[in-house]
Amino acid sequence: EGKHPQEACDIAVSQLDRELKRRRGKAGDLSLVALNNKGEWGVATNIEGFSFSVATKDEAPTVYISKVVDGKTIHEVASQEWLKAYAKINKRMCFMDILNNKVDDLKDLLIEDILDIVKIPSVKGKATNGFPFGENVAKALNKALEISEKLGFKTKNLDNYIGYADYGEGEDYICIIGHIDVVKEGSGWTYPPYSGHIENGNIYARGVLDNKGPIISALYGLYAIKELGIKLDKKVRVIFGTDEESGFGDIPYYLEN
């Protein structure tokens, strides 16, 4: 009582910090703000680089950076360089919130498309004319490209060896690669391996983790970027491999063609 808000805050935070360390061996992040009826304010913290803003009838909005020296909190006005850097970080965080919200909006469509492709038993089969890794692998590849086209991407099927979906323009590109072939399902399944059974928020199917689910999820991540109108510096290509489980016969064909 009777102390300046800054002194009162420093005493309270310093004492609590010491007591927590004595009892528990460490103290978490602490910060305290106080204001008296004269409009005087105080802020104390044990967080190095703690930032806050103040605005009163006598003080324009000002951002401060704090540091602790001998149990007392020292405040310095944030520099323009600091403010610019903070603005960039905040903008990036807002951008990620918008992107994450868009992905959440697309969740049901994503699950539908994952279910469609995991129902195809794309185990490597006998090579026949036009189907280098069997008809079911080609069927899964074409399903992935069909999904890509539905989402508005340019697609290319390289003779059922491999395929891809593009977003953006230019010769240089960033590659996201996965595969839609799977190993044999084996025995011991609780639910049919190509049923796409959903229970307790989980999808049960061969390929849902390796690798149909992840590559379709990556495609939808790119779709969210496209739908938000985000322009990228380079083209992005999502590649759907077809022979990851049996020797990578698809990759040489891609590189050659």
Side-chain angles (χ1 to χ4, degrees):
E1 185 176 351
K3 298 183 183 299
H4 188 281
Q6 185 59 54
E7 183 182 3
C9 286
D10 277 329
I11 292 171
V13 169
S14 179
Q15 289 180 346
L16 180 56
D17 182 79
R18 286 197 305 269
E19 185 63 17
L20 288 172
K21 288 176 180 176
R22 185 184 70 82
R23 293 186 183 187
R24 303 179 180 178
K26 62 179 181 179
D29 292 343
L30 302 171
S31 57
L32 180 63
V33 178
L35 184 71
N36 65 18
N37 57 10
K38 298 178 183 179
E40 298 170 328
W41 57 268
V43 175
T45 183
N46 65 354
I47 306 169
E48 193 67 28
F50 180 76
S51 61
F52 63 96
S53 60
V54 174
T56 69
K57 67 177 183 179
D58 299 320
E59 183 178 358
T62 305
V63 177
Y64 293 91
I65 311 296
S66 299
K67 60 181 178 180
V68 181
V69 179
D70 297 329
K72 295 183 179 180
T73 309
I74 309 301
H75 312 303
E76 297 177 352
V77 176
S79 66
Q80 287 299 313
E81 290 76 13
W82 188 95
L83 292 172
K84 288 178 181 178
Y86 180 83
K88 287 182 179 179
I89 294 171
N90 194 51
K91 183 178 180 181
R92 191 178 302 121
M93 291 175 66
C94 291
F95 164 77
M96 289 307 300
D97 287 340
I98 293 169
L99 186 57
N100 287 334
N101 289 337
K102 185 63 177 179
V103 171
D104 286 340
D105 291 342
L106 297 170
K107 181 177 69 174
D108 290 342
L109 294 174
L110 167 62
I111 291 172
E112 286 179 16
D113 284 335
I114 289 175
L115 292 178
D116 279 348
I117 199 166
V118 297
K119 291 177 181 178
I120 302 171
S122 51
V123 178
K124 186 175 183 178
K126 183 179 180 180
T128 58
N129 188 31
F131 304 108
F133 306 116
E135 291 189 29
N136 281 334
V137 172
K139 185 177 179 181
L141 173 60
N142 281 282
K143 172 56 71 174
L145 296 176
E146 176 188 312
I147 293 168
S148 303
E149 290 173 0
K150 177 185 69 175
L151 299 178
F153 294 110
K154 299 175 183 177
T155 64
K156 180 74 173 179
N157 183 337
L158 295 177
D159 304 318
N160 286 326
Y161 274 89
I162 200 164
Y164 56 82
D166 280 344
Y167 172 61
E169 302 296 336
E171 292 186 8
D172 293 337
Y173 59 87
I174 296 170
C175 169
I176 302 169
I177 187 167
H179 64 95
I180 48 75
D181 59 310
V182 298
V183 296
K184 290 184 178 180
E185 59 275 12
S187 59
W189 287 79
T190 302
Y191 308 106
Y194 301 110
S195 65
H197 178 82
I198 297 178
E199 188 168 311
N200 296 325
N202 297 313
I203 302 174
Y204 293 86
R206 171 62 85 214
V208 73
L209 287 178
D210 183 15
N211 183 243
K212 293 175 179 177
I215 195 60
I216 298 301
S217 296
L219 180 71
Y220 263 85
L222 189 59
Y223 178 58
I225 289 173
K226 182 174 78 70
E227 287 298 284
L228 290 171
I230 299 168
K231 302 300 182 184
L232 304 177
D233 292 337
K234 293 187 182 295
K235 181 168 65 178
V236 178
R237 175 168 292 178
V238 180
I239 300 178
F240 304 101
T242 58
D243 193 37
E244 193 272 348
E245 303 289 4
S246 305
F248 291 99
D250 50 351
I251 300 300
Y253 197 86
Y254 172 79
L255 296 174
E256 291 170 5
N257 294 275

